[in-house]
Every structure is written in structure tokens, then in C-alpha cells.
């Protein structure tokens, strides 16, 4: 019987240098934020960013983060963003981890010259963490679109 030597699938590609790893994660943090950080800032009156819900107007009407404005990702363009200040960072969110609406919104906004971060987890994780919501259906609204 022959014995087969196993190789590590994890280490098949060597890990990057600590410097490269640090750069990667700092770049990632420059592009993303999470529900807890957004909640903390809003809870403490830190309003240095604009929070935008990029879901449909109907979804926003039913349930959204208090203080967020609605700008569906498919409608983002120069005319729809004329009122937004380019010197304030924008944080976008959509339904949740399985939704790429916030990614699309961030791409469109950045193409127009805005600094943007995507809120990981979207409205789904905002609600899962027990944070307040506004809207006609509030907590009884669908968690996904």
C-alpha cells in the first residue's frame, strides 16, 4: 500500500508579508465599515458622513435606518446627487450580505467623485443587532428584497 503525502491547501500559496497584509486590511477598512461602527457614530452624534439607503423607494419607505436618505443605486447620477456635498464621506447600505446594491451604489458614487464606504451587513444586520428602524412597517418589514 502506498502512502500519499498530503499537502496543505491553506499554505499551498504562502502567506503575504506582514507589511502587505497590513496594507491589504487598511485598504479594506478604507472601503468598508460595519453596522456597529455606523450605530456607534450615530448614537454619539458623530455625523461626519451621509448615510444612504440604495434600495428601492418602496423598501426604504417600509423600513430604513433613521436619518438615512434614499437614493436607489440604479438612479445614482449627476442630477440625483447634485445636493450631496463632495467633502463628506458617504456610507451606503442595501439589504444585506447577499445584496450587491451597496457595491453598485458605491461604484456609481465614486465615479462621480464622492468618497464612499459600504456598510457591511446592510439593513438585515442593522436589524439583527437590535438597532432602531423607521418606516411604515418598521421591524415587521421583510429582511430581504
Amino acid at each position: 500500500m502506498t502512502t500519499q503525502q498530503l499537502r496543505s491547501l491553506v499554505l499551498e500559496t504562502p502567506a503575504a508579508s506582514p507589511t502587505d497584509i497590513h496594507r491589504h486590511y487598511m485598504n479594506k477598512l478604507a472601503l468598508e465599515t460595519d453596522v456597529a461602527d455606523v450605530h456607534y457614530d450615530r448614537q454619539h452624534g458623530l455625523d461626519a458622513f451621509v448615510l444612504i439607503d440604495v434600495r428601492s423607494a418602496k423598501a426604504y419607505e417600509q423600513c430604513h435606518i433613521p436619518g438615512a436618505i434614499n437614493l436607489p443605486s440604479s438612479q445614482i447620477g449627476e442630477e440625483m446627487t447634485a445636493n450631496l456635498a463632495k467633502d463628506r464621506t458617504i456610507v451606503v447600505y442595501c439589504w444585506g450580505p447577499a445584496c450587491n446594491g451597496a457595491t453598485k451604489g458605491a461604484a456609481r458614487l465614486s465615479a462621480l467623485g464622492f468618497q464612499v464606504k459600504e456598510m457591511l451587513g446592510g439593513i438585515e444586520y442593522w436589524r439583527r443587532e437590535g438597532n432602531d428602524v423607521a418606516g411604515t412597517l418598521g421591524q415587521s418589514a421583510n429582511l430581504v428584497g
Side-chain angles (χ1 to χ4, degrees), residues 62-125:
Q62 292 175 348
C63 180
H64 60 273
I65 298 172
I69 61 174
N70 182 228
L71 183 56
S73 61
S74 63
Q75 297 175 16
I76 293 173
E78 286 186 29
E79 186 177 321
M80 293 297 287
T81 60
N83 306 4
L84 298 175
K86 290 198 175 175
D87 62 343
R88 290 185 72 201
T89 298
I90 295 173
V91 173
V92 293
Y93 72 89
C94 61
W95 286 103
C99 176
N100 68 359
T103 303
K104 290 176 181 178
R108 290 182 177 127
L109 287 162
S110 63
L112 294 170
F114 294 96
Q115 289 186 312
V116 188
K117 286 190 171 201
E118 180 178 357
M119 185 182 82
L120 301 175
I123 191 76
E124 176 185 351
Y125 277 75

Side-chain angles (χ1 to χ4, degrees), residues 42 51 60 63-69 93 123 126 131-135:
R42 297 182 74 72
L51 185 60
Y60 174 85
C63 180
H64 60 273
I65 298 172
I69 61 174
Y93 72 89
I123 191 76
W126 182 268
N131 299 319
D132 290 338
V133 294

Side-chain angles (χ1 to χ4, degrees), residues 5-80:
Q5 183 155 355
L6 298 176
R7 72 181 197 288
S8 170
L9 298 179
V10 171
L11 301 177
E12 183 174 56
T13 303
S17 72
T19 301
D20 288 343
I21 294 167
H22 181 73
R23 184 179 315 112
H24 168 80
Y25 286 110
M26 291 306 294
N27 286 334
K28 189 173 178 175
L29 288 169
L31 301 171
E32 301 170 343
T33 189
D34 67 10
V35 166
D37 290 348
V38 170
H39 182 260
Y40 176 91
D41 279 12
R42 297 182 74 72
Q43 187 177 41
H44 291 91
L46 303 171
D47 62 352
F49 61 88
V50 177
L51 185 60
I52 297 181
D53 183 324
V54 298
R55 299 172 305 141
S56 70
K58 179 181 177 185
Y60 174 85
E61 180 184 321
Q62 292 175 348
C63 180
H64 60 273
I65 298 172
I69 61 174
N70 182 228
L71 183 56
S73 61
S74 63
Q75 297 175 16
I76 293 173
E78 286 186 29
E79 186 177 321
M80 293 297 287

Side-chain angles (χ1 to χ4, degrees), residues 124-143:
E124 176 185 351
Y125 277 75
W126 182 268
R127 289 172 61 187
R128 286 180 185 263
E129 291 189 19
N131 299 319
D132 290 338
V133 294
T136 58
L137 298 179
Q139 291 290 356
S140 64
N142 288 334
L143 274 177

